[in-house]
Amino acid sequence: MKKYIFVHGLAGWGSYDEKYAKKPYWGMRNGDLMQYLRDQGFECYAASVSPHGSAWDRACELYAQLYGTRVDYGKRHSEEYGHERFGKDFSDCPLCTIEDETELILIGHSFGGTTIRLFSEILVNGSKEEWDVSEDDGLSPFFSGGEIGRVRGIVTIASPLNGTTAYDMFEDENFDPDRVKAPWWSNVFAKLMSRSVVPVRDGRDIRDYADFDMHVDNAAELNRHMTTFSDVFYFSLPCCSTKEAKNGIQKPILKLTDPFFVKRSSQIGCYSGTTKGGTVIDSTWHKNDGLVNTISAQAPFGETKKALDQSDLRPGVWNVYPNFIGDHMMIHGGLTRKRDVKEIYLDMLTMISDL
């Protein structure tokens, strides 16, 4: 039996959050996408992971919700990164029931895509670092690994699989984001958006936040520790809401880009440079959806990918959808601009269910 688990992105929310009942993350202004897909016969669930937490913390939370346990961030991880080892207990309220025959299809939007990739890696291969320190303190089954064949499909939507230059450009001394031309009103919206995506630091190590993982170099380091499994079907859906201007620069299409993203889209669309780790950011990185570079959302660099062809779907290969023409949030309903995307997800789940 296939169960479809949806994992939100940065600053997002899921079905455990009160906010979801008022404004579902999946569906946004169009109503609850989960309920719509359930009505079509698909068993769908919306997880609630840390809005600003690292991929590691979010993966641990996802495991606890799916398997009905208390969140265990690991002895080594919690000591190194400076926070409590254990979190919320989901023993009495699991997201769904996992049985022997249950197959998981994981669908992640934005940073949710990184989250589900790390989740599947630990679920199969465990964590040697946690094995080495947890023998006498109890080891979460999650870190033991061995769940081969449990995850059958991974879908990443507008995900920074290789990071996003939305963070790196602010640390490049040769680039001044404030000098990028954009409509005057976009500055106001950009400041409002920053309030929701910039975390309130709580004393933990700075490396234990989503914004750290989404730097280009740090995403590359994560990718070195995550496997594209030969028995799992991979799909990615990149988004783009920009158009080419002069000199390879990309500018946001105002009717497709939410006002909250226009300023950042303009900056990403013209930023070129070199990361501290040596990655060259050139014009191929300029297309974007307002928050994530389109090229980054296709597949992890170095992995085998091909254009989506429903007559030739292969496991162990990244099957890349054509670019969705819309901004970062439009792909699941729209932040302030309504977009009906129910048919996109219905077609997607129908395709996956027929594999």
Side-chain angles (χ1 to χ4, degrees):
M1 176 183 294
K2 290 185 176 68
K3 298 190 178 185
Y4 300 83
I5 311 301
F6 289 69
V7 181
H8 61 76
L10 177 71
W13 57 96
S15 58
Y16 286 100
D17 303 299
E18 292 183 6
K19 184 177 181 179
Y20 198 93
K22 299 177 181 178
K23 187 175 185 179
Y25 183 89
W26 297 97
M28 301 296 280
R29 294 166 57 85
N30 293 280
D32 190 358
L33 179 63
M34 298 295 95
Q35 188 58 56
Y36 169 77
L37 293 171
R38 290 187 201 112
D39 291 343
Q40 310 308 311
F42 298 99
E43 196 169 340
C44 299
Y45 302 90
S48 298
V49 291
S50 174
H52 298 100
S54 64
W56 178 279
D57 285 1
R58 289 159 60 99
C60 294
E61 292 157 1
L62 180 59
Y63 177 83
Q65 291 173 24
L66 289 175
Y67 285 79
T69 67
R70 187 180 182 185
V71 178
D72 183 349
Y73 297 108
K75 176 179 171 61
R76 182 207 63 83
H77 178 87
S78 58
E79 290 179 352
E80 179 176 349
Y81 291 86
H83 63 77
E84 295 293 328
R85 174 175 174 177
F86 297 102
K88 185 175 179 179
D89 191 344
F90 293 91
S91 300
D92 296 330
C93 56
L95 190 63
C96 63
T97 302
I98 303 295
E99 300 170 336
D100 290 343
E101 69 276 13
T102 301
E103 295 181 342
L104 297 177
I105 309 298
L106 306 176
I107 301 164
H109 172 251
S110 193
F111 194 56
T114 304
T115 302
I116 61 178
R117 290 187 62 227
L118 183 57
F119 170 83
S120 67
E121 173 67 30
I122 300 173
L123 197 66
V124 173
N125 291 325
S127 170
K128 184 178 184 304
E129 292 80 6
E130 292 299 336
W131 295 342
D132 291 342
V133 301
S134 300
E135 292 181 2
D136 297 328
D137 295 86
L139 180 69
S140 166
F142 184 38
F143 304 131
S144 297
E147 286 267 11
I148 299 171
R150 175 69 73 194
V151 176
R152 298 297 295 147
I154 284 181
V155 184
T156 62
I157 299 170
S159 294
L161 301 173
N162 303 287
T164 170
T165 57
Y167 294 102
D168 290 83
M169 63 184 175
F170 286 97
E171 299 176 0
D172 188 337
E173 61 183 14
N174 297 313
F175 181 76
D176 184 359
D178 292 331
R179 297 188 66 179
V180 175
K181 292 183 179 180
W184 67 268
W185 46 262
S186 66
N187 294 296
V188 177
F189 284 97
K191 290 179 180 178
L192 292 172
M193 175 58 66
S194 295
R195 294 177 184 175
S196 65
V197 300
V198 176
V200 175
R201 306 297 184 186
D202 60 4
R204 71 182 58 197
D205 194 295
I206 195 170
R207 297 170 297 164
D208 207 26
Y209 291 94
D211 56 359
F212 179 87
D213 285 344
M214 286 191 283
H215 280 69
V216 171
D217 291 339
N218 300 334
E221 180 62 24
L222 270 175
N223 284 336
R224 282 191 278 274
H225 299 279
M226 293 194 288
T227 307
T228 295
F229 295 103
S230 60
D231 62 338
V232 177
F233 287 88
Y234 293 84
F235 302 91
S236 65
L237 203 171
C239 299
C240 182
S241 60
T242 62
K243 61 182 178 180
E244 187 172 358
K246 58 183 179 180
N247 301 324
I249 289 175
Q250 293 279 323
K251 291 189 175 182
I253 302 171
L254 297 184
K255 68 178 181 180
L256 292 177
T257 307
D258 194 280
F260 285 101
F261 304 144
V262 169
K263 179 69 173 182
R264 190 68 73 244
S265 178
S266 301
Q267 294 166 329
I268 295 172
C270 68
Y271 171 63
S272 295
T274 302
T275 67
K276 295 177 181 178
T279 298
V280 175
I281 307 300
D282 56 20
S283 60
T284 62
W285 286 78
H286 289 171
K287 283 186 178 181
N288 67 84
D289 62 15
L291 291 178
V292 172
N293 313 77
T294 302
I295 191 174
S296 183
Q298 294 175 353
F301 293 151
E303 299 292 349
T304 303
K305 67 179 181 181
K306 69 180 189 66
L308 177 68
D309 179 355
Q310 295 196 32
S311 66
D312 181 28
L313 298 176
R314 310 172 198 168
V317 173
W318 284 82
N319 299 276
V320 184
Y321 273 82
N323 291 345
F324 172 83
I325 306 304
D327 71 32
H328 191 70
M329 299 293 277
M330 197 174 286
I331 187 56
H332 59 92
L335 187 60
T336 63
R337 294 176 176 176
K338 185 176 181 179
R339 181 74 171 266
D340 190 347
V341 293
K342 292 192 291 292
E343 292 303 313
I344 293 176
Y345 288 91
L346 179 59
D347 291 345
M348 177 189 293
L349 267 58
T350 299
M351 172 186 69
I352 294 173
S353 70
D354 291 340
L355 289 174

